[in-house]
Amino acid sequence: MLLAIPPIAQSIAVEFKHDTFRTHQSRLLQLLSHCTDLSQLKKIHARALRSFSTHESSLFLFSRILHVSSLIDFDYACRVFDRIDNPNSFMWNTLIGACARSFDRKEQAILLFYRMLEEGSVEPDKHTFPFLLKACAYVFALSEGKQAHAHIVKLGLDSDVYVGNSLIHLYASCGCLNFALKLFEKMPKRSLVSWNVTIDAFVQCGLFENALKLFVEMQDVFEPDGYTMQSVISACAGIGALSLGMWAHAYVLRKAGGAMSADVLINSSLVDMYSKCGSLRMAQEVFETMPKHDLNSWNSMILGLAMHGRAESALRCFSRLVKMKQFLPNSVTFVGVLSACNHRGMVAEGRKYFDMMVNEYKIEPRLEHYGCLVDLLSRSGFIDEALELVANMHIKPDAVIWRSLLDACCKQNAGVELSEEVALQILESEKAASSGVYVLLSKVYASACQWNDAGLVRKAMADQGVAKEPGCSLIEVDGISHEFFAGDASHPKIKEIYDVIDLIEEKLEKDGYSPDYSQATMVDEPDNVKQQSLRLHSERLAIAFGLLNMKPGMPIRIFKNLRVCNDCHQVTKSISRIFNVEIIMRDRNRFHHVKNGLCSCMDFW
């Protein structure tokens, strides 16, 4: 018959007087390995204090007590630490590491490091700095991180791979990508983590192509792991590289018998990637087959549906999340819900969900939430209500919100005086003036036939060196991305592309097409010049290239950096009907699924 193991409390009560010093310490260490709550920990600590005090021969025991207490109760760990006369580096590292891992004690980790230096009884080592640099990165403490870097060099620890990885992460997190890259290039030895941190740094800075190039280099020395693939999938999402994203998905499925495919973070990244690459069906398939969901995966699906104009499906997905009662919606969830309402002009629903977020879930609105509702209200004709909402915001509206209002003023013919006031607010909100406000204001003046004022706006742009952001569109054919700018003539197949443009123009003319000049570049140019400008917009060049190269039955996927103009939107619908092709276009704000002359946005974008 097996004897039951006595509870920890009973074990502690056992007499130790016949044990040797080493046996006694070993038994306490064994009890610590099973300790799970503060009450047990205090009893073990009390026994240790009675038996050993904190003399040098028992420092390892008290180091373990400190480590366990840091996991169970940080305040108690601090009291344990303060009772130790000469804490060693392990003890300092234990406490600094506990702070670095804690959600709200990152700054305390930095203060502990300074205290460690001031007391001077022990020097920081190669285990200290990864904890410290992690805390600095989290709170964007670049100055403190640089000081730590100086200590690292002084102590000769800059060649340590773990310290090097932490420094790369610090500089990348604080936006100093050049420093991070220099460190990576100078590392005498790199681990897989070194590559992962640097690839992720490119992704976080929006340099997706650089991230993918580095990924290709990495494969010569290391096999990708889950962290690598998550960054690669995010990079694919950033540039709309569907073919490479599908390859990454296939790699995840076959790696280690598909073990990666159960990773909730990777699956959430796949949902996001497929959504942003225009394959909503694949995004939904990944989401529905995930073995486990977290709130991030729900948010990715809701945001994906919203981005594609599938407002009803996005709201149904939100209802499923709420009914499950497994996760509470957060601020990101409501960005997705409000975006869904915004992309379909669902004003009543937008008001309802904004009120639900504030009053039912007690989530304080952020600029993104206000931005969605202001854009929805103003574009739906409720400009006065949108202005009232902006006036009553508890935070200062940014230039994005004011631009939404100005764009609505332009479309709704809200009047020159109001438009001028909104434009002034944009200029005051922006650190550096962008072209968008000048272009919109020029259109307002043109609509009111105030040609002199429109000319003065363009002159002001030239005087201040503000250039209009050029339209740029990407299309992927056979896994290769092709980039087109408005008026582009640099592509190797430009002659064939222009021939297709001519064919499109011919068929459009027979179809009764009449150009919409409202968003042509120069409001006072002759109509034939404006039409020439419109026909060479970047998305039209990309669509022509797609018609030239895509296999029959395959959709043409376009990724554009700006919002699609009225004329190009109408032309895209006509092309889909005349040439019997599906066109999926992602502009700055959303996706347009165009088929048989109809668009998923229902002409509300």
Side-chain angles (χ1 to χ4, degrees):
M1 177 179 177
L2 294 173
L3 294 174
I5 298 174
I8 289 180
Q10 295 178 25
S11 299
I12 295 171
V14 173
E15 289 294 331
F16 288 96
K17 62 183 180 181
H18 299 299
D19 290 342
T20 63
F21 177 92
R22 184 172 296 176
T23 305
H24 191 163
Q25 189 164 248
S26 296
R27 294 182 69 181
L28 285 177
L29 288 170
Q30 186 178 16
L31 292 172
L32 275 171
S33 66
H34 298 289
C35 184
T36 57
D37 64 52
L38 186 59
S39 175
Q40 296 171 354
L41 177 64
K42 285 181 176 179
K43 291 173 183 176
I44 297 170
H45 187 201
R47 172 63 67 177
L49 286 172
R50 284 198 298 270
S51 304
F52 303 111
S53 179
T54 56
H55 54 70
E56 202 168 306
S57 58
S58 56
L59 275 181
F60 180 73
L61 171 62
F62 284 96
S63 295
R64 295 302 302 168
I65 290 172
L66 179 65
H67 173 70
V68 174
S69 61
S70 72
L71 300 175
I72 295 174
D73 187 311
F74 183 79
D75 292 331
Y76 187 76
C78 289
R79 293 198 295 274
V80 171
F81 183 81
D82 290 338
R83 289 285 302 272
I84 299 171
D85 294 333
N86 294 301
N88 58 23
S89 60
F90 178 86
M91 294 173 177
W92 283 103
N93 294 344
T94 296
L95 213 56
I96 293 171
C99 291
R101 288 188 298 269
S102 172
F103 178 75
D104 56 354
R105 290 194 175 93
K106 310 291 185 183
E107 292 180 351
Q108 197 170 343
I110 300 171
L111 295 175
L112 272 169
F113 175 73
Y114 286 149
R115 180 181 160 190
M116 181 184 189
L117 295 178
E118 286 172 6
E119 294 192 7
S121 58
V122 62
E123 279 192 340
D125 58 24
K126 65 180 182 179
H127 303 291
T128 314
F129 289 106
F131 294 135
L132 173 66
L133 294 169
K134 178 182 179 181
C136 290
Y138 188 88
V139 298
F140 307 111
L142 180 60
S143 176
E144 290 79 359
K146 285 182 175 180
Q147 292 175 43
H149 192 176
H151 279 285
I152 288 166
V153 173
K154 181 181 176 182
L155 295 170
L157 299 174
D158 48 325
S159 61
D160 182 84
V161 67
Y162 299 105
V163 174
N165 293 343
S166 301
L167 282 169
I168 293 171
H169 175 61
L170 164 77
Y171 286 118
S173 298
C174 294
C176 301
L177 186 59
N178 287 337
F179 283 143
L181 290 177
K182 284 179 182 177
L183 286 168
F184 176 76
E185 289 165 1
K186 290 180 179 179
M187 289 181 79
K189 183 180 179 182
R190 297 169 185 161
S191 66
L192 177 58
V193 175
S194 311
W195 289 90
N196 285 348
V197 170
T198 310
I199 290 170
D200 187 62
F202 277 125
V203 173
Q204 297 307 316
C205 292
L207 300 172
F208 306 116
E209 291 185 0
N210 300 67
L212 295 175
K213 287 176 183 175
L214 195 62
F215 169 65
V216 172
E217 288 180 35
M218 189 204 79
Q219 291 180 81
D220 291 335
V221 286
F222 285 108
E223 191 171 307
D225 65 2
Y227 294 103
T228 321
M229 298 313 299
Q230 196 175 338
S231 296
V232 168
I233 292 165
S234 296
C236 294
I239 58 172
L242 180 61
S243 297
L244 184 55
M246 293 177 73
W247 173 88
H249 189 186
Y251 180 89
V252 165
L253 289 173
R254 70 174 181 267
K255 173 66 178 173
M260 270 190 204
S261 62
D263 189 299
V264 69
L265 295 177
I266 289 178
N267 278 308
S268 295
S269 297
L270 285 168
V271 171
D272 181 63
M273 182 272 294
Y274 279 122
S275 296
K276 289 179 178 175
C277 288
S279 182
L280 187 61
R281 181 185 62 80
M282 283 299 299
Q284 290 176 293
E285 187 175 313
V286 171
F287 178 78
E288 296 299 343
T289 56
M290 285 176 67
K292 183 181 178 183
H293 294 94
D294 63 359
L295 182 57
N296 185 46
S297 57
W298 283 97
N299 289 346
S300 295
M301 192 70 257
I302 292 169
L303 285 162
L305 290 164
M307 193 191 312
H308 285 263
R310 298 279 295 277
E312 293 84 356
S313 298
L315 298 181
R316 281 197 297 272
C317 191
F318 174 74
S319 296
R320 282 175 60 192
L321 169 65
V322 171
K323 286 177 183 176
M324 283 178 56
K325 297 182 178 178
Q326 186 178 2
F327 306 106
L328 278 176
N330 63 6
S331 62
V332 178
T333 316
F334 279 98
V335 169
V337 170
L338 292 170
S339 295
C341 298
N342 185 19
H343 290 323
R344 281 292 297 277
M346 301 166 70
V347 176
E349 289 82 356
R351 293 176 182 136
K352 166 190 160 186
Y353 285 109
F354 189 88
D355 183 70
M356 178 191 294
M357 176 184 74
V358 174
N359 296 315
E360 187 175 334
Y361 289 98
K362 309 300 179 187
I363 296 172
E364 190 171 284
R366 289 163 32 185
L367 281 171
E368 297 92 332
H369 305 113
Y370 283 119
C372 287
L373 191 55
V374 168
D375 194 46
L376 169 60
L377 291 170
S378 58
R379 288 192 299 121
S380 301
F382 298 93
I383 292 181
D384 289 339
E385 185 180 344
L387 287 168
E388 185 180 353
L389 178 63
V390 171
N392 293 321
M393 284 170 55
H394 71 281
I395 46 181
K396 185 179 179 181
D398 64 354
V400 175
I401 289 176
W402 289 116
R403 271 199 296 270
S404 294
L405 281 166
L406 182 57
D407 186 48
C409 288
C410 185
K411 289 181 178 178
Q412 303 286 338
N413 296 316
V416 172
E417 190 175 338
L418 177 58
S419 299
E420 286 176 332
E421 178 59 34
V422 173
L424 182 62
Q425 294 292 341
I426 297 173
L427 293 173
E428 289 179 355
S429 301
E430 290 184 326
K431 293 179 180 178
S434 66
S435 63
V437 59
Y438 292 102
V439 172
L440 286 172
L441 193 55
S442 176
K443 289 172 186 172
V444 170
Y445 288 135
S447 299
C449 296
Q450 296 181 207
W451 305 112
N452 287 337
D453 290 324
L456 288 172
V457 169
R458 293 197 305 278
K459 185 177 184 302
M461 284 181 69
D463 291 344
Q464 296 181 36
V466 178
K468 184 179 182 295
E469 184 180 358
C472 175
S473 295
L474 290 173
I475 180 172
E476 185 180 334
V477 176
D478 296 329
I480 299 172
S481 289
H482 298 262
E483 186 177 58
F484 294 92
F485 287 90
D488 200 351
S490 61
H491 196 278
K493 291 190 176 182
I494 196 63
K495 184 181 181 302
E496 295 96 320
I497 293 169
Y498 278 15
D499 287 343
V500 176
I501 291 284
D502 290 338
L503 176 63
I504 291 171
E505 290 290 316
E506 182 184 324
K507 289 184 177 289
L508 285 173
E509 189 175 343
K510 289 179 181 177
D511 197 53
Y513 162 65
S514 177
D516 179 351
Y517 298 132
S518 64
Q519 292 174 292
T521 306
M522 303 295 280
V523 294
D524 57 351
E525 286 179 338
D527 284 354
N528 63 327
V529 178
K530 293 177 185 177
Q531 186 167 356
Q532 182 69 12
S533 168
L534 287 170
R535 76 194 291 266
L536 296 181
H537 275 190
S538 65
E539 59 267 52
R540 296 202 199 181
L541 294 172
I543 290 171
F545 183 75
L547 290 172
L548 195 63
N549 291 279
M550 298 300 289
K551 296 174 183 175
M554 292 292 291
I556 296 174
R557 301 176 194 272
I558 309 291
F559 299 90
K560 182 175 168 62
N561 65 330
L562 304 176
R563 182 180 287 190
V564 62
C565 75
N566 294 338
D567 188 70
C568 287
H569 190 261
Q570 182 57 47
V571 165
T572 303
K573 292 195 296 181
S574 298
I575 290 173
S576 73
R577 175 174 48 80
I578 294 169
F579 289 87
N580 190 28
V581 63
E582 181 182 3
I583 301 170
I584 301 171
M585 183 187 303
R586 186 179 91 184
D587 70 7
R588 175 174 279 176
N589 293 333
R590 59 168 299 157
F591 271 94
H592 299 264
H593 290 256
V594 188
K595 193 173 184 180
N596 299 324
L598 299 173
C599 181
S600 60
C601 75
M602 299 182 181
D603 297 338
F604 185 88
W605 81 99

